[in-house]
Amino acid sequence: AQSSNLVASARAAAAPSLVADSLAFQASVLRQLDRIDDAISVYTNNYVASVPEDRRRLALMNVIELQLAQGRTAEAGQLLQGLLTQRRDDLSSDIVVLTSGELQMRLHFDGSGVMPTNLPLAAATNRLEAAMTLFDQVGTNSPLYGKALLNKGWCLWLEKRVGESVPVLRAAVDALPFSEDLAVARFKLADAHFAQADYTNALSGYRALTNEFAGIPRVRASLFDQALHQIVRVYIRLGAVEDA
């Protein structure tokens, strides 16, 4: 309710930048409430010509991200393609590069769409390679660097290159701030250790997840059952039946 008042006050002030920032804040509130369709609807209010260009672009990227999270890959792909067609210089933007890579990951799972021709994908022969090529372009000083590493680690895991995924996922753990992404990185790094029969480090990773992220409901709901299941498997492999 207060975010709605914020938008109304910004409009009364006739300040386009304030209106755009207020709408973005309102959309972020709706997003945290898992009202995703409502959040997308609010973000689209920032598409209009009166909104500063940087805010329009950010709104578009947020909508693409939300559509990818909902599995609406075709819609997200069309929006991203339109953005890149209009502004090729956005290829140097870390958020566009990261989102482009995530789109390739989604397309790997659903098999839809065609390989794009306007992205710097080098000699990529499949979508996971295309995604990793994009993630490698996110700079080490970027706030998105940790997320790019996590995504690359996922790609290596999906290609069954587990040994290569370990140092990448470890780097992601070191680079990410305390967040749901960090929880996922810890979980996948522990999975990679487990797959390599490195049970000591696997157990340490799963325990770190359950100990450090107990206060985040979404992490508890999405990862804790899996982590506890894996801890039982580790103990069984170690012959620690009572602990299991």
Side-chain angles (χ1 to χ4, degrees):
Q2 294 300 326
S3 69
S4 297
N5 293 338
L6 181 66
V7 172
S9 296
R11 283 177 172 152
S17 293
L18 288 178
V19 173
D21 291 343
S22 300
L23 286 167
F25 177 75
Q26 184 181 43
S28 72
V29 171
L30 292 166
R31 185 174 182 170
Q32 291 180 67
L33 292 171
D34 285 328
R35 292 171 55 183
I36 303 302
D37 287 335
D38 290 336
I40 289 175
S41 178
V42 171
Y43 276 128
T44 58
N45 290 317
N46 274 347
Y47 288 0
V48 298
S50 61
V51 172
E53 185 177 6
D54 59 334
R55 268 79 160 187
R56 288 205 309 271
R57 218 177 315 164
L58 185 59
L60 190 62
M61 295 309 301
N62 275 301
V63 169
I64 291 170
E65 182 182 354
L66 291 174
Q67 288 177 336
L68 287 175
Q70 288 188 315
R72 294 156 61 179
T73 310
E75 294 175 57
Q78 289 173 358
L79 284 176
L80 184 59
Q81 188 73 24
L83 173 67
L84 294 176
T85 299
Q86 295 169 19
R87 293 189 53 88
R88 288 190 59 81
D89 57 325
D90 275 341
L91 288 172
S92 62
S93 167
D94 284 338
I95 189 171
V96 172
V97 170
L98 181 74
T99 306
S100 299
E102 290 178 344
L103 176 59
Q104 292 304 308
M105 289 180 71
R106 299 282 178 175
L107 291 172
H108 164 78
F109 287 108
D110 66 23
S112 64
V114 296
M115 288 288 284
T117 57
N118 63 338
L119 295 177
L121 299 180
T125 58
N126 62 59
R127 295 201 179 279
L128 292 180
E129 286 186 11
M132 286 189 283
T133 298
L134 289 161
F135 297 142
D136 283 340
Q137 293 174 34
V138 177
T140 56
N141 294 324
S142 170
L144 300 175
Y145 180 62
K147 183 63 179 289
L149 288 170
L150 170 58
N151 289 340
K152 182 179 179 179
W154 262 112
C155 289
L156 290 167
W157 173 273
L158 291 169
E159 287 201 324
K160 304 187 185 305
R161 295 157 62 182
V162 178
E164 295 175 63
S165 75
V166 169
V168 176
L169 290 168
R170 186 181 295 118
V173 168
D174 292 338
L176 285 164
F178 187 78
S179 59
E180 292 180 34
D181 284 334
L182 177 58
V184 173
R186 285 198 179 282
F187 182 80
K188 290 313 299 178
L189 178 58
D191 273 353
H193 285 310
F194 183 89
Q196 293 185 306
D198 183 355
Y199 300 126
T200 299
N201 279 320
L203 181 61
S204 176
Y206 295 130
R207 284 295 189 201
L209 172 66
T210 56
N211 289 338
E212 295 174 19
F213 292 88
I216 302 183
R218 286 169 63 94
V219 175
R220 286 205 314 271
S222 63
L223 291 177
F224 271 37
D225 284 352
Q226 298 176 65
L228 292 171
H229 175 76
Q230 289 296 93
I231 289 171
V232 172
R233 294 183 68 197
V234 168
Y235 279 138
I236 290 173
R237 296 293 178 90
L238 293 173
V241 180
E242 290 185 6
D243 288 328

